[in-house]
């Protein structure tokens, strides 16, 4: 039985889709079978970031409404044969997603794949709540600025209330992924510090992704950053985050800081 | 009064006093109702099953306006048990009876009201006597209160072991204790308890209120920011001091 990961944030533009693609590719790179499901019906982007926009025939809404079989809608990545994409529909809206339809699709995907990554739309409405509904693990993508942190806090509250796990009295495992971290701005004090974000959100940190042109470049050529340039700083941070998701314990690096800081950050545990 | 009737079949009429919440609307009603809705939205079920008396003393309204106002209340499921201070000319058929001789009670007594209400809603529906004093209740929340979440507990104290996020709120009938950072809103003594206090380990609050007296973040002394603080009410002023 595979694990369901929701990549969510509340706020838009913080890097959910980029992170979904990069984490998915990093997990698939180890040989795990991975599917990334785009829940952003009406504003799909994941197919572009994955470079599969010309190969979309059927989508999530077609499967939910019984117009296509799941196997017809899944798109296999051309670079990694264990990586799949289930695209969203661009012509429909979020109302086309039904709770029972989503449940059926997720249950079926869990049987076949090791990881089912749900790329959540922004907001806290239907699309976002359905994306998180069946999650075992949540990756909360946050930028080091106040509005993103507050929205993430709101999402964490919803993860503890509106998921199947929460309703059964269990807890969704929650991880913080800090993205678009700019070491220069952090030095100048223009951004929230890592410690401040951790103190406010009080969930464990799974990685810090530096702000980098490599991310934009990868999106533009239609490849997850972990496949476009595996040696770039953001790609390496995503690879480490993926290993932590899979249960490994690794020290966390704050981009732009010297190695001496490792000891301080390592072993940090948020309540 | 002391004359004892010997005939067992006679009708016995007794007096009994009950505690009611009094609402005193002001004009224009639309604005006042909006504020009432806001209050009701923030403390769900506040008026549910609670006896409410409408005080219209000195309000220049006529019968039609009063009728319309009563209609607005019934739409909101607020049951008006009586009207105080109304000129007889504006009272009409089908309206709640006029009440006279109401005495203000101490805020303390109103604060105990929900306890009585709780008793009423329990399995044995014996009418609860005002005199029976229940121990004050409290709830403890063992995790952070996240943005967008509200903790509403009119029955007594709220203790949070963790932080209260920006955009979260705690509304307590009694005192509020935050063992963490208070970044959101805290309202103590929400149903009229001037002796309620707010305590927090680190003060970053957006808004504070005790017994309906508000204080916004910008009105707070900058020296309190980030400090362990307690707040209490003196008259109509919220007082604050750092702890230790």
């Amino acid at each position: 039985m595979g694990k369901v990961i929701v990549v969510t944030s509340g706020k838009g533009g913080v890097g959910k889709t980029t992170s979904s693609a990069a984490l998915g590719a990093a997990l698939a790179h180890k040989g795990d079978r991975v599917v990334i499901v785009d829940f952003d019906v009406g504003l799909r982007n994941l197919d572009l970031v994955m470079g599969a926009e010309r190969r979309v025939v059927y989508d999530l809404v077609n499967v939910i409404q019984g117009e296509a079989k799941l196997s017809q809608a899944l798109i296999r990545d051309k670079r990694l044969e264990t990586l799949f994409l289930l695209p969203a529909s661009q012509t429909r809206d979020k109302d086309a997603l039904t709770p029972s339809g989503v449940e059926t699709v997720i249950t079926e995907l869990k049987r076949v794949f090791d990881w089912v990554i749900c790329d959540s739309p922004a907001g806290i409405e239907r699309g976002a709540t359905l994306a998180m509904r069946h999650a075992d693990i949540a990756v909360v993508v946050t930028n080091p600025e106040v509005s993103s942190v507050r929205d993430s806090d709101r999402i964490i509250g919803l993860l503890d209330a509106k998921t199947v796990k929460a309703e059964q009295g269990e807890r969704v495992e929650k991880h913080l992924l800090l993205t678009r971290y700019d070491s220069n701005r952090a030095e100048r004090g223009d951004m929230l510090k890592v410690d401040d974000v951790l103190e406010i959100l009080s969930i464990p940190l799974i990685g810090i992704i530096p702000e980098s042109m490599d991310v934009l470049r990868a999106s533009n050529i239609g490849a997850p950053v972990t496949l476009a340039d595996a040696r770039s700083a953001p790609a390496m941070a995503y690879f480490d985050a993926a290993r932590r998701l899979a249960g490994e314990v690794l020290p966390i690096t704050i981009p732009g800081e010297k190695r001496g800081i490792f000891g301080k950050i390592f072993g940090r545990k948020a309540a | 009064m002391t004359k004892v009737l010997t005939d067992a079949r006679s009708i016995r009429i007794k007096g009994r006093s009950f505690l009611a919440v009094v609402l005193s609307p002001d004009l224009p009603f639309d604005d006042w109702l909006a504020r009432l809705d806001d209050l009701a939205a923030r403390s769900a079920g506040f008026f549910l099953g609670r006896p409410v008396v409408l005080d219209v003393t000195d309000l220049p309204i006529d019968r039609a306006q009063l009728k319309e106002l009563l209609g607005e209340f019934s739409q909101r499921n607020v049951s008006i048990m009586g009207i105080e201070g109304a000129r007889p000319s504006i009272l009409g058929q089908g309206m709640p009876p006029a009440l006279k001789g109401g005495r203000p009670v101490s805020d303390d007594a109103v604060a105990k009201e929900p306890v009585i209400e709780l008793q009423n809603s329990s399995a044995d529906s014996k009418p609860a006597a005002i005199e029976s004093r229940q121990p004050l209740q409290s709830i403890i929340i063992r995790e952070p209160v996240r943005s967008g979440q509200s903790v509403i507990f009119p029955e007594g104290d709220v203790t949070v072991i963790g932080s209260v996020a920006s955009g979260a709120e705690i509304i307590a009938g009694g005192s509020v204790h935050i063992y963490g950072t208070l970044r959101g809103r805290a309202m103590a003594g929400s149903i009229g308890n001037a002796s309620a206090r707010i305590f927090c380990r680190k003060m970053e609050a957006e808004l504070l209120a005790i017994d309906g007296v508000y204080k916004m973040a910008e009105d707070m002394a900058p020296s309190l920011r980030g400090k362990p603080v307690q707040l209490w009410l003196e008259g109509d002023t919220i007082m604050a001091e750092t702890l230790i």
Side-chain angles (χ1 to χ4, degrees):
Chain A
M1 214 48 167
K3 287 248 168 107
V4 181
I5 303 176
V6 62
V7 179
T8 184
S9 72
K11 194 175 185 303
V14 295
K16 287 180 295 296
T17 301
T18 306
S19 299
S20 298
L23 289 173
L27 287 166
H29 197 77
K30 305 190 303 160
D32 289 357
R33 291 175 61 81
V34 178
V35 61
I36 313 178
V37 187
D38 192 350
F39 271 84
D40 207 346
V41 177
L43 287 171
R44 80 170 184 220
N45 280 328
L46 188 63
D47 54 324
L48 286 171
V49 175
M50 303 271 294
E53 71 275 16
R54 289 170 203 282
R55 300 167 63 207
V56 176
V57 182
Y58 294 112
D59 55 50
L60 177 62
V61 171
N62 294 135
V63 177
I64 283 177
Q65 302 193 334
E67 296 153 3
K69 279 191 231 141
L70 193 51
S71 55
Q72 291 175 298
L74 286 171
I75 303 171
R76 186 194 289 264
D77 189 86
K78 286 203 161 155
R79 294 147 295 206
L80 287 172
E81 63 169 21
T82 55
L83 180 60
F84 288 78
L85 163 68
L86 180 55
S89 170
Q90 181 70 349
T91 52
R92 311 295 288 272
D93 61 35
K94 267 94 180 165
D95 293 337
L97 296 174
T98 61
S100 61
V102 169
E103 186 179 355
T104 315
V105 170
I106 298 284
T107 312
E108 208 168 318
L109 289 173
K110 265 167 82 172
R111 214 175 297 141
V112 185
F113 290 94
D114 300 315
W115 301 98
V116 180
I117 300 180
C118 303
D119 180 21
S120 170
I124 52 171
E125 288 81 26
R126 191 182 184 89
T129 47
L130 281 174
M132 70 169 65
R133 179 130 189 90
H134 301 279
D136 301 302
I137 302 171
V139 172
V140 180
V141 182
T142 306
N143 292 164
E145 48 101 15
V146 282
S147 58
S148 172
V149 170
R150 186 203 264 175
D151 291 1
S152 293
D153 195 62
R154 178 92 165 97
I155 282 288
I156 295 168
L158 293 179
L159 286 165
D160 286 336
K162 297 223 162 163
T163 51
V164 172
K165 280 221 155 192
E167 283 165 12
Q168 290 169 350
E170 294 171 59
R171 316 214 82 188
V172 175
E173 199 182 299
K174 296 176 287 286
H175 299 282
L176 176 66
L177 185 65
L178 208 55
T179 54
R180 311 195 68 166
Y181 184 85
D182 187 329
S183 53
N184 291 327
R185 289 180 58 203
E187 244 165 65
R188 289 200 305 269
D190 296 347
M191 275 184 343
L192 285 179
K193 293 195 196 72
V194 176
D195 279 334
D196 293 342
V197 179
L198 281 176
E199 205 263 318
I200 294 174
L201 295 180
S202 13
I203 57 172
L205 184 63
I206 204 181
I208 304 171
I209 313 297
E211 173 85 315
S212 161
M213 282 304 290
D214 296 320
V215 175
L216 191 62
R217 207 173 298 132
S219 295
N220 286 340
I221 62 165
V225 67
T226 39
L227 292 183
D229 183 0
R231 310 290 295 278
S232 66
M236 280 159 63
Y238 274 121
F239 272 114
D240 281 357
R243 287 167 67 187
R244 291 187 196 99
L245 265 184
E248 278 185 60
V249 180
L250 300 166
I252 284 183
T253 330
I254 296 186
E257 288 189 17
K258 298 205 177 60
R259 288 201 152 248
I261 199 80
F262 280 22
K264 253 205 258 175
I265 306 303
F266 180 48
R268 177 209 309 280
K269 218 168 160 134
Chain B
M1 279 299 280
T2 51
K3 186 180 172 195
V4 180
L5 290 169
T6 47
D7 190 345
R9 287 171 302 168
S10 70
I11 294 168
R12 302 173 81 174
I13 297 174
K14 290 181 177 175
R16 187 169 287 173
S17 71
F18 292 92
L19 207 54
V21 172
V22 177
L23 286 176
S24 314
D26 44 43
L27 291 168
F29 285 149
D30 285 351
D31 293 359
W32 186 83
L33 285 166
R35 297 206 300 276
L36 180 77
D37 287 345
D38 188 38
L39 171 74
R42 278 180 289 131
S43 47
F46 183 78
F47 292 110
L48 207 67
R50 193 183 280 264
V52 177
V53 171
L54 188 62
D55 181 4
V56 293
T57 313
D58 295 335
L59 275 185
I61 53 168
D62 57 31
R63 187 182 292 186
Q65 280 171 297
L66 180 63
K67 200 164 182 182
E68 198 187 331
L69 180 64
L70 290 169
E72 296 282 353
F73 279 118
S74 69
Q75 262 181 31
R76 288 166 174 76
N77 286 326
V78 179
S79 44
I80 304 292
M81 61 170 281
I83 301 178
E84 194 180 20
R87 284 167 284 123
S89 60
I90 66 167
L91 289 174
Q93 280 280 316
M95 285 191 186
L99 289 177
K100 277 187 212 123
R103 285 191 315 270
V105 291
S106 74
D107 289 332
D108 222 6
V110 183
K112 289 195 182 69
E113 169 74 358
V115 178
I116 294 154
E117 187 183 299
L118 267 189
Q119 272 191 345
N120 279 343
S121 59
S122 68
D124 70 342
S125 56
K126 260 201 312 197
I130 299 273
E131 307 86 64
S132 76
R133 287 189 155 224
Q134 288 284 307
L136 269 180
Q137 300 180 43
S138 66
I139 51 166
I140 295 177
I141 291 153
R142 288 164 210 279
E143 51 197 27
V145 182
R146 303 284 181 182
S147 186
Q149 294 179 332
S150 306
V151 175
I152 299 165
F153 190 69
E155 290 85 0
D157 289 7
V158 174
T159 305
V160 180
I161 305 172
S163 296
V164 176
S166 160
E169 64 183 6
I170 310 290
I171 300 172
S175 296
V176 175
H177 310 256
I178 313 290
Y179 291 95
T181 310
L182 172 56
R183 295 191 179 85
R185 303 169 163 199
M187 300 176 194
S190 66
I191 48 167
N193 179 1
S195 59
R197 291 192 177 206
I198 297 172
F199 305 86
C200 64
R201 191 177 267 178
K202 196 172 168 197
M203 168 61 69
E204 302 278 354
E206 292 165 350
L207 185 147
L208 297 156
I210 301 174
D211 190 16
V213 181
Y214 287 76
K215 207 174 172 82
M216 302 292 297
E218 51 232 48
D219 308 331
M220 270 174 265
S223 59
L224 297 175
R225 237 162 219 295
K227 301 275 170 25
V229 168
Q230 69 157 328
L231 300 117
W232 70 98
L233 204 58
E234 263 182 39
D236 275 345
T237 317
I238 293 186
M239 310 294 283
E241 67 175 24
T242 52
L243 295 160
I244 311 143

